[in-house]
Amino acid sequence: MENNNVHLFGPFSLAISDAGIAVAVFDTPGEKQNILRERYIADADAMLDLIATESSVQGLVIESGKKDSFIAGADVSMLANCRTVEEAAALSRSGQMLFNRLESLPFPVVAAIDGACLGGGLELALACHSRICTDSAATRIGLPEVKLGLLPGSGGTQRLPRLIGIQDALGLMLTGRRLSSRQALKSRIVDEVVPASILRSVAVERVLKLRGDGNGTSRKTWAEKLLEGNPLGRKVILSQARNKTIEKSGGHYPAPLAIIDCVEVGIEEGMEEG
């Protein structure tokens, strides 16, 4: 890709092509997998500040500099370092604000996923306007936080139901299941599966297509619209999810029920409240 100088922001490098497509590469130094950490938020904000000042930028691709690892999740030790509920809430909120900023960019943003895209990594990808992933056996996509007694804290409880429907989203979040690339395509989490060798070029093509199309189109099926597009249908889905969760857990695990609460509030009262 022809580009101007590469700009560095901590673990992020940014190059802008002559065609106005920016490519941000995330590569945490000295580690086999990319992990999200609180200190990287300032780096990402600085990168977005630069992008905002570059009037030539018409689209953004986000990719990993590591083979077989997009972003494996967030560093859970950050929670261990929180001494109060307020500190933990602020930590979660900082991630939400960054991803909200990414989502609100005035041009298409595409996640180019190769390898593990889990937890906060998928939440980042969900904040993008489209997702392309490789057909590698190492590509796994999911929100496994519930297995640690946690919930997706950076917007996953809000964006995933809006993307694939409440029922399917709860099925993933309440089990922590990890999907292969083909399963993610079938579930409509990703828009295309390609060989790793052409991942970036296809992601750039997706940016250009989205820019030409304007707004994206809804991919909800007729059945999802019928069941989830009315309060009664939503109530049935959420009630069944709660009953099954309590039956399996005996009510001893708060994370699954909290996930359901976040989804319900988000759907009924809006994403910010959720």
Side-chain angles (χ1 to χ4, degrees), residues 54-75:
E54 293 286 342
S55 59
S56 63
V57 175
Q58 301 296 314
L60 173 63
V61 172
I62 300 177
E63 65 180 27
S64 168
K66 300 185 187 296
K67 178 177 172 55
D68 293 338
S69 174
F70 179 68
I71 301 174
D75 182 0

Side-chain angles (χ1 to χ4, degrees), residues 131-260:
R131 289 146 297 282
I132 312 294
C133 76
T134 69
D135 56 7
S136 168
T139 297
R140 287 290 184 269
I141 293 173
L143 294 171
E145 288 90 340
V146 71
K147 293 184 176 181
L148 299 176
L150 304 172
L151 57 81
S154 295
T157 61
Q158 306 306 303
R159 292 190 175 93
L160 191 60
R162 286 168 170 78
L163 180 66
I164 68 173
I166 299 171
Q167 200 161 18
D168 288 344
L170 285 175
L172 286 176
M173 290 188 288
L174 295 179
T175 63
R177 190 160 60 99
R178 304 179 184 200
L179 304 179
S180 68
S181 56
R182 294 296 174 186
Q183 289 171 326
L185 179 64
K186 184 177 180 180
S187 297
R188 307 179 310 283
I189 296 175
V190 302
D191 300 301
E192 195 168 352
V193 176
V194 301
S197 60
I198 61 171
L199 178 61
R200 178 184 288 189
S201 63
V202 172
V204 169
E205 289 175 6
R206 175 71 56 166
V207 167
L208 296 173
K209 182 179 187 301
L210 290 175
R211 191 175 66 184
D213 289 347
N215 296 326
T217 57
S218 172
R219 292 174 297 165
K220 279 185 173 293
T221 66
W222 176 82
E224 286 172 332
K225 291 179 180 178
L226 180 66
L227 185 59
E228 300 186 0
N230 65 84
L232 180 59
R234 293 192 294 269
K235 184 175 181 180
V236 169
I237 291 171
L238 294 164
S239 177
Q240 288 178 342
R242 281 195 179 91
N243 290 339
K244 289 180 180 179
T245 297
I246 292 172
E247 181 181 346
K248 289 181 178 180
S249 69
H252 299 300
Y253 297 95
L257 293 173
I259 289 171
I260 297 170

Side-chain angles (χ1 to χ4, degrees), residues 82-97:
C82 292
R83 293 166 294 180
T84 66
V85 170
E86 289 75 20
E87 286 183 1
L91 176 63
S92 178
R93 185 62 177 159
S94 64
Q96 293 171 15
M97 292 173 66

